[in-house]
Each structure stands twice: as C-alpha cells, then as structure tokens.
Amino acid sequence: MAEEILDIVVIGAGLSGINAAHRLQTELPHLSYTILESRERVGGTWDFWKYPGARTDSSMAVFGLYWFPWRRRENMAAAADLRQYIEDAAASEGIDQKIRLRHRVVEARWRSDEELWTVLVDATNPADGSVERKTIKAWWLIGASGYYNYDKPMDTVIPGLNIFGGQVVHPQFWNDSIDYAGKKVIIIGSGATAITLVPAMAEAAEHITMLQRSPSYVFSLPHNKHPYFWAKFLPTRWTDKLDWWAGMTVETLFVGVLSYFPQFGRNFIRGEIKKVIPATIDMDTHFNPRYSPFQQRLCFCPSGDFFKTLRRPDVEIVTDTIETVTPTGIRLTSSRTLDADMIITATGLHMELLSNMELYVDDARIDTTLGERFAWNNCMIEGIPNGAVLMGYVATSWTPGADVRTQQVIKVIKHMERTGATSMTPTVDGGETGRAKLPRRPAMPLTSTYAVTAKDRLPMIASVGPWRVGENWVADTWNLLFGTITKGVRYTYGRRKGD
C-alpha cells in the first residue's frame, strides 16, 4: 500500500474544488496539493446530473469562476456546457494536472502525534476496474464535494408507489435508457428540478402533470446582455469585471431587499408571475407559497420557459396531496385521479457533507456527530484540526460563498506559516459551559423538507463571534478582511513530520 506526503488534499473536482486549487496555487504556490475526484471526469454536480434540461439555477455572471469568465449568452448554463466550462477552467491554469480521477476517499484520520491527516483512497484502474488502496498523508484536508449524497435521494414516503404499473424514476438516477416520448408523465415536486423538467420534457411527452404539495416562488431570469453592451466600448478584461460586479450587486440587493421586507418580496415576485402565467391558471392556488421569499430556494427559469410551457394544452400544474398511487396513476386527497405511464419523484436531496467518507480525529469518529458541532466562519468545524469544508450560498449563487471561505482557510494557513503553528482546531471558549451559552441554529437555515430532515447531519451556527455566518458575500468579505482568526481556535506549535 503506497504512501505519500502532501501539504494539502482537496476532495472534489467540481466548481468549488477547481476554484480552491486556483486559490492555492496562486496564493500558496510553495505548498504541494492534489485533488481527489471519485468520478471519471471533472465537473462534480454538473457531470452527475443527466435528467432532461439539467442546468444551473443561478446567473453564470456570478455562479461562474471569477478568474475564468463565462462569456456565452446563456445566463443559466446547461449541465453539459457547465461541466465543459469547469474542465476548460482547470486546463487553463494547469489544475487538470493535479487532479486524480477515480480516486474515492474512504477514510480520513487526523493523527495528533504526527499532526497530519492519513487519507485512505480507493483508486480504480479504468482499464480493468481493479481497485488499489492508497494512503496519502496531508497537513490540510479541504472538502469541496458539495452537500448531498450522490448515491441516494432524500427518503420520501409516497403511499402505494410500489404498486404503480409504469416506470418510476428519480432525477438523481436518470440515464440515457429512460424514454418518456409519447407517455403521460407525472412529476412530483415543486423545486428547481421540477421547474426544469417540465419545459424540457413537454415536446416529447404526451402529457405532463407537475404535482406539487405546496407552491414555490418561480422567477424568470433573462439572458445576460451586459457583456455584449459593454464590449462595444471597453476591453474584454474590463467587461468581465464589470459583469461580475454588476451581477453580484444585483443579486445581493435582490436577495437582501426581498428577505428583509418579506411582504414586499412576496408581492413583487407574485406580481412578476402574474405578468406571464396563463389566465387559466389560478395563481392563488398554484403560486402562493406559505413561506416568505428565500426561506426556501427561489426557483429561476431562463427567459420564462417554465411559464411559457404552462400555456400548452398538454401541460398541467396541480396543487394537492397524494392519497395513494394506483397501478395506473395517482389518486389525490381531493378524489381526483391523475393517469400516468411514468412517475418522476423530484422530491429532494439527501443532504450530508464529506461524501460518505469516515472521518476520525485520532480514535474518535467525527462524521456521525457533525450535527452536534459548530461551524467556525462557515469553513471549518469545531473539533476538527486542519480541515475545511467549503460551503457556498444557498439563497444566492453558490460559488462566491465557497470562494470567500476558501480565502478564509488560506488566511489561516498563512497565519500558521508566519507563526510556526502546526495545527489549528476550532474550539468554543469555555468548554461545555461556553457551548451551552451559544445559540443553536442550522448552518443551512432553509425550511425545505430536505434541509429540515438533514439538520442532524449538518453543523450548527450561532449568532456570535466566529460562529456566526455572514448573510451575504459583502458581510463575509468584510469578515475575511477585518475579522480575527485567533478567536474560537486553538493553535499548536512544533515541527511537522516531513519538514
């Protein structure tokens, strides 16, 4: 079993992992690193999702990488295009040479006597499928593999689903063999996946019914015209920066205003919906959520494609609850029956960190107790030395959040190098007494079912000191520039093995 020693191991070759690599080799070029990716290609989420129409639901002006601008007209990138964009970005900086594909992290164990991580990796040989167990030791471990389990969706009980005579598909497991042409399809769900599937499948299916238990907010996002306007007058490098700053400003203000003034936000979004939905659809039934804007994710659709599709006679939206699935469809609690040849369960993700790997600090297993621990500046977890988990934003575009937290980790590493520290562990002052005084809030404060059911698998946050989380990129950047990295932590000093 081969063993090597590196300074930093990054887990995941999606947007967050590739961006972390760019930051590392730009700001810490003297440190060695590698990216371990369990899949056969880079791209993470955007290589994984295969369902019709799969795309980002954020503006690429901000969701893309600031150092590798997205210059296409489409504001919401299709999954395949975004995956290629990530691969091109990695190649442009030589990051692709640092990626080890088909390398699945099985276990990571911090050894206090060495002040290093011991990472066990299963590497699959693409030629014959054989698996070799490897060991890598690293000073720092950075998790950039996202927040959901690729292998299973959220557990959802749908009565009678087992007796359905047609095909049942979850979008998470979509593949090229699935054929919906000429079929009556029911899509169960009201989130971003369902909003994407409806227009993507409408042309080929005989009939589509989007069945939602409760409505969501849906907002039309136009094509991004700013770069093309500015390009008439300014160099490309300037238009890229202007486009990013314009996108970030609009996004921050939009989310901030609608969150702080929820009734105004509700009225504004519903007013925009009213302009585009067919007159035959009852807005108060199908587009009147029980929650305020951004208590759950706002669903975006490019250029109103979802609303345009609702004008078709073979597309319907139904707001009701399921009494039971029957062999030929779904019977609702209102006694109405929906016929179906295929049911698609777009019912949510199984949220968790660390991609199923086991995590230990010496002999104590950590991955099973994340829900009992506080997040430090939303990038490290209480009690875990030299380890970071990169989480982006959920109300706004993911990438700026993951980036500012990557910079926070780099700030810590630079401090350690200046002071001679060998480890840094987030630690609540005052021990258990101090912990008991901290407010306990979920790190992902959404009211969506998939987020609420995951609260025991995700760390907590508080509203004080380094245990608070910035409300947006501006707040997090202020904390990065002027916040302390010596509160709520314990540094140790010595000599690392391998130095």
Side-chain angles (χ1 to χ4, degrees):
M1 185 165 61
E3 177 182 303
E4 63 178 312
I5 299 178
L6 296 169
D7 292 307
I8 302 169
V9 165
V10 178
I11 303 174
L15 271 173
S16 300
I18 299 302
N19 183 68
H22 170 80
R23 286 286 185 189
L24 290 172
Q25 64 185 32
T26 301
E27 301 188 38
L28 298 168
H30 57 288
L31 296 183
S32 59
Y33 80 91
T34 191
I35 302 176
L36 303 179
E37 171 55 55
S38 63
R39 300 177 61 77
E40 296 181 352
R41 301 194 301 178
V42 304
T45 287
W46 308 109
D47 181 54
F48 175 72
W49 291 106
K50 307 296 184 186
Y51 64 83
R55 54 166 171 76
T56 176
D57 60 350
S58 298
S59 169
M60 283 300 298
V62 181
F63 187 77
L65 301 164
Y66 75 97
W67 47 271
F68 193 77
W70 174 266
R71 292 180 176 145
R72 297 178 57 167
R73 192 171 186 84
E74 298 86 358
N75 204 16
M76 300 172 69
D81 294 336
L82 186 45
R83 193 215 70 82
Q84 186 61 54
Y85 163 81
I86 296 170
E87 186 172 271
D88 293 343
S92 73
E93 297 286 322
I95 296 169
D96 56 336
Q97 302 302 310
K98 299 288 188 176
I99 301 171
R100 306 183 192 188
L101 299 173
R102 308 176 193 88
H103 279 59
R104 178 180 294 276
V105 177
V106 177
E107 176 188 299
R109 187 183 298 263
W110 173 260
R111 294 287 304 272
S112 296
D113 57 339
E114 297 180 327
E115 295 199 302
L116 290 173
W117 286 98
T118 298
V119 184
L120 300 184
V121 182
D122 281 346
T124 302
N125 187 326
D128 58 12
S130 61
V131 178
E132 177 187 2
R133 174 65 56 86
K134 297 181 179 180
T135 300
I136 301 174
K137 293 199 172 183
W139 185 35
W140 269 82
L141 190 68
I142 298 178
S145 56
Y147 61 91
Y148 69 92
N149 188 314
Y150 282 16
D151 298 325
K152 64 177 180 179
M154 183 185 74
D155 291 331
T156 303
V157 177
I158 301 176
L161 190 62
N162 60 314
I163 67 170
F164 180 58
Q167 187 176 13
V168 177
V169 180
H170 194 284
Q172 197 159 327
F173 306 122
W174 199 282
N175 59 65
D176 292 339
S177 68
I178 297 171
D179 182 14
Y180 56 89
K183 294 182 179 179
K184 298 175 183 176
V185 180
I186 298 176
I187 301 171
I188 302 175
S190 60
T193 303
I195 299 300
T196 301
L197 282 167
V198 170
M201 299 177 65
E203 288 292 338
E206 177 184 338
H207 189 275
I208 290 182
T209 302
M210 176 177 151
L211 174 60
Q212 58 181 12
R213 181 177 57 186
S214 58
S216 298
Y217 292 104
V218 185
F219 196 83
S220 176
L221 196 67
H223 285 306
N224 184 15
K225 300 177 181 179
H226 296 150
Y228 303 95
F229 173 77
W230 288 326
K232 299 176 182 178
F233 312 103
L234 299 170
T236 301
R237 66 181 184 278
W238 290 15
T239 62
D240 290 337
K241 288 182 172 57
L242 282 170
D243 191 35
W244 190 91
W245 279 104
M248 177 57 69
T249 300
V250 169
E251 187 174 273
T252 301
L253 289 174
F254 180 77
V255 175
V257 170
L258 270 61
S259 298
Y260 281 111
F261 304 98
Q263 189 58 51
F264 167 78
R266 172 185 291 273
N267 293 340
F268 174 76
I269 296 175
R270 279 170 48 83
E272 293 299 303
I273 293 173
K274 190 174 183 179
K275 296 176 183 178
V276 292
I277 64 169
T280 54
I281 293 181
D282 182 358
M283 195 168 79
D284 287 336
T285 298
H286 304 299
F287 293 97
N288 188 26
R290 296 190 294 261
Y291 58 91
S292 297
F294 296 106
Q295 287 184 328
Q296 297 184 22
R297 286 185 63 91
L298 176 62
C299 298
F300 288 97
C301 59
S303 301
D305 66 348
F306 173 72
F307 298 111
K308 294 173 185 176
T309 305
L310 292 181
R311 298 180 180 277
R312 297 174 59 107
D314 53 358
V315 175
E316 181 182 16
I317 183 170
V318 175
T319 303
D320 207 332
T321 53
I322 297 173
E323 179 181 311
T324 187
V325 177
T326 69
T328 59
I330 295 178
R331 186 167 64 247
L332 305 175
T333 53
S334 63
S335 298
R336 181 183 175 186
T337 298
L338 305 175
D339 295 331
D341 305 307
M342 175 184 289
I343 295 175
I344 300 177
T345 55
T347 48
L349 305 167
H350 180 84
M351 297 176 63
E352 65 178 21
L353 302 179
L354 308 178
S355 301
N356 277 332
M357 75 176 186
E358 296 182 6
L359 188 75
Y360 296 85
V361 173
D362 295 320
D363 294 326
R365 187 165 177 179
I366 302 297
D367 56 292
T368 57
T369 63
L370 294 183
E372 303 168 12
R373 299 170 183 269
F374 285 97
W376 183 87
N377 284 320
N378 217 38
C379 65
M380 297 182 66
I381 300 174
E382 176 194 5
I384 302 179
N386 292 19
V389 179
L390 303 181
M391 292 289 290
Y393 299 125
V394 290
T396 57
S397 295
W398 173 272
T399 315
D403 180 53
V404 75
R405 282 135 193 182
T406 300
Q407 294 181 71
Q408 188 74 254
V409 174
I410 290 174
K411 183 179 179 179
V412 169
I413 295 174
K414 287 181 176 179
H415 173 80
M416 294 174 69
E417 291 191 314
R418 285 195 306 270
T419 61
T422 51
S423 72
M424 179 275 208
T425 308
T427 307
V428 176
D429 295 335
E432 288 303 315
T433 302
R435 293 184 86 258
K437 294 179 179 179
L438 288 178
R440 295 166 182 257
R441 299 175 180 172
M444 191 171 288
L446 300 177
T447 61
S448 308
T449 302
Y450 68 86
V452 172
T453 57
K455 64 180 181 179
D456 293 334
R457 298 189 293 271
L458 301 177
M460 302 176 292
I461 59 172
S463 56
V464 295
W467 313 107
R468 65 161 59 94
V469 173
E471 296 179 356
N472 52 49
W473 179 83
V474 175
D476 277 338
T477 300
W478 180 270
N479 182 52
L480 170 69
L481 295 175
F482 303 107
T484 178
I485 54 172
T486 58
K487 289 185 178 180
V489 298
R490 184 181 71 248
Y491 288 99
T492 62
Y493 300 86
R495 182 177 177 82
R496 285 196 290 135
K497 182 178 179 180
D499 283 354

